[in-house]
Structure formats: structure tokens, C-alpha cells
Amino acid sequence: MRILVIGSGAREHALAYSLSLDPSVEQVHVSPGNAGMTAVATLHPDGDPVALAREIEADLVVIGPEIPLVAGVADELRAAGFAVFGPSAAAAQIEGSKAFAKDIMAKAQVRTADAVSVPVGSSDSFIDATLDKFGPTYVVKDDGLAGGKGVVVTADRAEALEHIHAVHAGGNPVLLESFLDGPEVSLFCLVDGETVVPLLPAQDFKRVGDNDKGPNTGGMGAYTPLPWLPEDGVQRIVTEVVEPVAKQMVAEGVPFNGLLYAGLAWGSEGPAVVEFNCRFGDPETQPVLRLLKTPLGGVLNAVATGTLDQLPPLEWEDGYALTVVLAAENYPASPVTGKPIVGAEPGNESRGILAAGVAEQNGQLVSSGGRVLNVIGTGATLAEARKQAYETLQGIQLEGSHYRSDIALPAVEGRISI
């Protein structure tokens, strides 16, 4: 197979690397990609995906980020005759519109937070009354695409108000939600209509600083599997959440085909949905794919060609995988870019080094974004995976960079319980 991956971050680097290891995959192309991927894929500048797919005679196109999915790129490629891993624009609303997702969940009788929409132009009295209903922990969400950063969870009413006004100023409505307690779980599921195949459960870390301090980011690290999740945890999420939503989307005439990401809180009554995404999550994808033994190309192609129900059970490596994000100075506020990177040159995928926000300058990698690199560690135990990842990080130099030192530490220390 010749496979084209659309996207540029560490998620796409992880996809490209896994695909490059698949014996059935002849060529891996990425558009636009980044300079850290050159050892595993041929890179192409941003351009028309349909024209590029024709040029390289792609057998499969894998769309990584949410923006092209919501914009309908999968529809354009399918109309041109290509097999595509990624949902239609109509189905991608499960991430693109929080209100659409809430409506689907309500009809499917899936547990989630109560929510009230606060449209642009809402009166101060309506906003105040809605805040009164949902305090004292306020969950304020941008009802649109926000790259994982459009939510504020705070006990500070002034901070909640500030985020409401900021989102409205950008032209988007806001959702105010009730707060869901319990540890968070990310579960990726391959979905083809009503067929659902779960991957390993993961947990990510959104706040920029240790102990979940500071602003939300696109994700500072993740690990898989979850030693604290009940033995039947994944099956419960599939049965109680993902399958009902998939069936409801079929009933609504917007069947989902691709990767459905369920972000959940596991409270006293079991799993409840925090959000859905219409694609592989970043950075959870990186450790999840590192443990997948089944060749990835065949898996994604089965979804794209409507044969997921015929796919043999997935096989996984034993043990744990963990990723830590190396971020640029001043991320997430105003990342400093253009700084040289030492110790993370292309071709280090087997050491667990994946590139996100990097570029090539005079023959050297330099930082070009906020989240610069992902470093993955694996081990028989979660503690061993942590140790390996942080040891690898010590060998990478990027002036002013920072990372969280506590990825998966609460789980290692047994501080997470349901």
C-alpha cells in the first residue's frame, strides 16, 4: 500500500512510523509533515489533498487533525475515489459542535455532564443565572474547535466570566457544564458504522505544570494502559458509551467512520462523557501505537474500506508505554521558536523520539511550535516506562524548554482510585 497521512505533529509522526513498520506498506507520505519525520516518510508541502493523493497514487489516506475533517476533506477524497481513514464533515460534528454531541448523547441515553448553551450576545443576567446554576466548580467550553485548549475548569467565578467573554469575542457560543468528578480516561475506538473496536485506554495530562497547575495545553504527556481501571472498564465504555453513540449516528444519517475518541470521567456511577473527538488524540496516540503489535496499515485500511467487522482481534505488546512532551520556552502563552535542538535528529523513532513542532534550518533541527518533541518510554511496569522516557529526555538539549516531571506518577504511586 501507498499511504498518505495528512498532518504535521507528533501524532502524525507516530502514525507514519507505525505505518513504516508494516510489511504491507510500500510507501509512507506525509503532508505537510515536519523535518523530524524524514527518516520514515516522504514529505510534501501543504496543498490540495486530492491532487496529492492522485500524484502519489495513494491506496489509503489517513487524516490526522480535526480541522480538515470538520472542513470536509475526507468527503472530497472519497468523492475522488480514495479510501479514507477519517469521518465525513457531518460525522466530524461530534467534535466540531459540542451542541451536536450533546444532542446525540441525549438521544442515545449516554451519561454526560448537564449543559446550557450561552450564545454570543447573551445578557449579563442570563450569564450570571447560568453560572449560579453550575457553580461552585465552573466548566466553560468553547462550542467549536479549540485544539484541546478551549475549556476552563475553575472555582474562580471571575475566571469563568473572563473565558466566556473571550470566547464570545471570538464569535463562538459557550457551553457551561456541570463538573464531572473522578479520574479521566481516554479511549480510542475504531468505528465503522455500528462496528466498534477499542484500542488501549490512556490518560493524558492537559495542564502545563506539575500537579495539574497552570493553563490547559494541547497535552503534556500520556500513558497506557491504566492499572487502576476496573477489569471490565474498557468493555463498559464500549457498551455504555461508544456503541450507543455509533448506533445513534447511523440512525441520524451521519454514520461515523474512523477513530472516535471518548474522553470520560469515571465517577461513582461509572463512566460519563467529558468530550468526543473525531480523530486520534495527541499525545495519547503516541504511547498507544507504541504497544500495538498488529500492523497498523491493515487496521486503518479495514476501517476505511468498511471491513472492520472482518478484522482479527488486535494484538498488543505486554507492559506499559508513556510519553512526555518537551515544550518550548513560554509555552503555551507565547512559545519561543527558532532554537536549535540537539539529540533528537531524524531517525530516532526507535528510541522513542517523535517530532511535533520542528523545522530544518541550515541542516539542523530547530523549534517551530509550542510542543516541540514527544519522548516515549516503555517497560514491563509503568515505573520502568517513566524511567526510560525521562532518561531519554536528559539527552535532548533545547534552550528554555520545559516538561512535566510527574507524567503517570499518581498512577505509579497508587494515588488514583475509582
Side-chain angles (χ1 to χ4, degrees), residues 370-406:
R371 292 187 295 171
V372 181
L373 298 169
N374 267 223
V375 174
I376 299 172
T378 58
T381 67
L382 191 50
E384 289 176 13
R386 264 180 56 82
K387 184 172 183 287
Q388 186 183 97
Y390 283 108
E391 283 179 352
T392 302
L393 268 171
Q394 297 304 310
I396 300 173
Q397 300 170 36
L398 172 61
E399 182 186 341
S401 62
H402 60 97
Y403 55 85
R404 283 185 60 159
S405 67
D406 65 344

Side-chain angles (χ1 to χ4, degrees), residues 149 208 217-220 327-336 369-371 402:
K149 291 172 275 191
V208 72
T217 70
M220 294 298 291
E329 182 179 357
N330 285 339
Y331 177 76
S334 53
V336 175
R371 292 187 295 171
H402 60 97

Side-chain angles (χ1 to χ4, degrees), residues 200-221:
L200 292 180
Q203 185 178 62
D204 76 335
F205 294 73
K206 286 290 189 189
R207 301 281 187 172
V208 72
D210 283 2
N211 302 312
D212 292 326
K213 302 296 184 185
N216 269 339
T217 70
M220 294 298 291

Side-chain angles (χ1 to χ4, degrees), residues 100 102 199-200 233 267 294 354 378 399 417:
F100 173 86
K102 290 290 186 186
L199 306 188
L200 292 180
T294 304
L354 301 174
T378 58
E399 182 186 341
S417 60

